[in-house]
Amino acid sequence: MNLPEHVTLIEVGPRDGLQNEKNEIPTDVKIQFIKELKKAGFKEMELTSFVSPKWVPQLKDALDIIQYCTDEHRNLVLTPNEKGVMRAKEAKCRDVAFFVGVSESFNLKNINSTTKESMDKLLPLIRELKEDGFFVRACISTAFYCPYEGKIHPDAVLDICQQFADAGVDDLSVADTIGMANPLEVYELFSRLKAQFPDMLLTAHFHDTRGMALANIYAALQAGVDRFDTSAGGLGGCPFAPGATGNAATEDVLHMLKALNIETGIDMNQLLKAVEVIEPHLAGAIQSKQHQLNKQEKAVN
Ligand code: HMG
Ligand code: MG
């Protein structure tokens, strides 16, 4: 088995996890959730997004989140455009993530631009941020399937990643937005990405709509990927990708990685405490296996 000794888990629960949540979560609860997650040992986290509050009302408190939650670690904020970058700079963020859909139809629904229009606007912003010493991540959505266009050709994904790489991004986070990919497709795409970008941070981002996220993570590990976006409690989904459910649950991924003797530096008990902080505020119950087992164990003792 080709497995790494260490994997970095990038916690995206506070951003991807909450952006699609029906209940309005109080800002102080979000802050407590993030603080408990940080205690579990995450060194990279997507905290929130500087997007239009009309499009994603749940994240309208982004500035407060940044003010109370940034520390010496990598605290990523998503930005869709120049205004988002301006807000991120005003908030003194140093770690910025852009997002674009390989699929034109998805990109139009998500950020109201064609993929080319987005790239034409984002690439100069990325170059500027890199000159100013920012950490820049590029999130590539619909890298396998699009809810509107169906199967996406891997060549199109590699082409967009190359444009981001040429602009100087530090990290490519390549996403199965609607959880339709299978391990064969994952192995093929990530093997090609690893070969084309051997010196780049390469992250895999799986939604678990069809229960394939763990299998896909295992396939990505085999392809040499050692960074994964995961979401505490398995929360998540994009409001503009119909049918997409939550991300791979961090605690279930952690359980698998531990069983494979892969180090992450994350404390399971503390992670489960963070999940307990957010659960009472959600519209639905958390379904992750580790959280369910933890609850059962507590009920017995
Ligand atoms: P638009 O309506 O075309 O924007 O939306 P606009 O430029 O015409 O501006 C409209 C209004 O929004 C104006 O305000 C702007 O000032 C304001 P008004 O004059 O009406 O009062 N505005 C902003 N406000 C705050 N922050 C900003 C900003 N920009 C404009 N940055 C826009 C275009 C991009 C703004 C909108 O489509 C948007 O915010 N989209 C965000 C969608 C989103 O957050 N999606 C989820 C994240 S991506 C994801 O989840 C996928 C990922 O997880 C990977 C995967 O799983 O695939 C990363
Ligand atoms: Mg996502």
Side-chain angles (χ1 to χ4, degrees):
M1 277 192 276
N2 175 27
L3 295 171
E5 281 177 17
H6 184 272
V7 152
T8 302
L9 293 179
I10 298 99
E11 174 57 46
V12 300
R15 192 282 301 172
D16 200 329
L18 297 184
Q19 70 185 10
N20 204 28
E21 168 57 33
K22 286 188 190 70
N23 286 353
E24 188 174 336
I25 314 268
T27 305
D28 60 332
V29 172
K30 292 182 191 172
I31 292 172
Q32 201 196 342
F33 179 43
I34 292 169
K35 294 208 157 151
E36 292 299 326
L37 286 168
K38 284 189 175 277
K39 281 193 220 159
F42 295 98
K43 304 278 189 291
E44 295 186 51
M45 213 184 276
E46 285 185 359
L47 293 189
T48 186
S49 302
F50 284 114
V51 293
S52 163
K54 286 182 191 150
W55 284 61
V56 186
Q58 182 68 256
L59 303 185
K60 63 175 187 273
D61 55 3
L63 190 57
D64 291 324
I65 300 294
I66 293 306
Q67 196 177 341
Y68 292 106
C69 296
T70 40
D71 57 10
E72 73 278 20
H73 299 303
R74 190 165 291 151
N75 298 288
L76 288 149
V77 289
L78 262 66
T79 62
N81 55 14
E82 195 170 2
K83 177 152 188 182
V85 171
M86 216 174 65
R87 291 176 66 204
K89 281 184 175 171
E90 278 165 13
K92 304 213 175 342
C93 300
R94 301 298 301 162
D95 311 303
V96 171
F98 293 94
F99 51 101
V100 76
V102 184
S103 147
E104 191 100 324
S105 315
F106 173 73
N107 207 60
L108 276 164
K109 299 269 186 201
N110 198 34
I111 41 182
N112 208 16
S113 303
T114 66
T115 304
K116 182 167 183 329
E117 281 165 358
S118 287
M119 294 302 281
D120 287 348
K121 283 187 191 144
L122 297 184
L123 295 177
L125 289 174
I126 291 170
R127 289 196 188 94
E128 257 174 52
L129 287 173
K130 283 313 301 168
E131 271 169 28
D132 292 344
F134 280 73
F135 179 91
V136 179
R137 140 179 274 221
C139 303
I140 294 95
S141 288
T142 57
F144 296 90
Y145 289 88
C146 165
Y148 311 102
E149 293 183 14
K151 174 91 181 129
I152 298 295
H153 200 288
D155 289 353
V157 182
L158 280 133
D159 175 50
I160 289 205
C161 289
Q162 187 64 58
Q163 293 181 52
F164 278 128
D166 292 343
V169 300
D170 300 279
D171 182 20
L172 293 167
S173 170
V174 177
D176 179 20
T177 309
I178 53 171
M180 266 188 90
N182 68 51
L184 288 175
E185 293 164 324
V186 167
Y187 184 79
E188 188 205 336
L189 180 61
F190 280 102
S191 298
R192 288 186 63 185
L193 287 163
K194 267 279 168 198
Q196 191 159 325
F197 307 103
D199 303 323
M200 170 84 72
L201 294 178
L202 179 62
T203 306
H205 178 117
F206 294 112
H207 285 265
D208 199 26
T209 318
R210 291 164 184 78
M212 294 289 266
L214 281 184
N216 286 336
I217 287 175
Y218 192 74
L221 285 166
Q222 297 285 318
V225 177
D226 60 0
R227 293 169 56 81
F228 295 93
D229 289 346
T230 60
S231 170
L235 311 178
C238 175
F240 310 101
T245 58
N247 290 79
T250 310
E251 55 275 25
D252 290 346
V253 177
L254 181 60
H255 175 76
M256 180 177 82
L257 296 176
K258 274 175 184 282
L260 297 171
N261 292 323
I262 297 174
E263 276 298 317
T264 59
I266 307 301
D267 181 309
M268 177 69 92
N269 288 333
Q270 178 58 35
L271 168 60
L272 292 172
K273 273 191 203 160
V275 173
E276 283 170 355
V277 165
I278 201 70
E279 186 174 37
H281 302 274
L282 304 172
I286 285 178
Q287 302 295 342
S288 77
K289 300 281 180 261
Q290 293 307 307
H291 175 65
Q292 293 295 332
L293 286 168
N294 185 39
K295 275 211 308 208
Q296 281 168 23
E297 232 166 71
K298 282 190 174 163
V300 170
N301 295 322

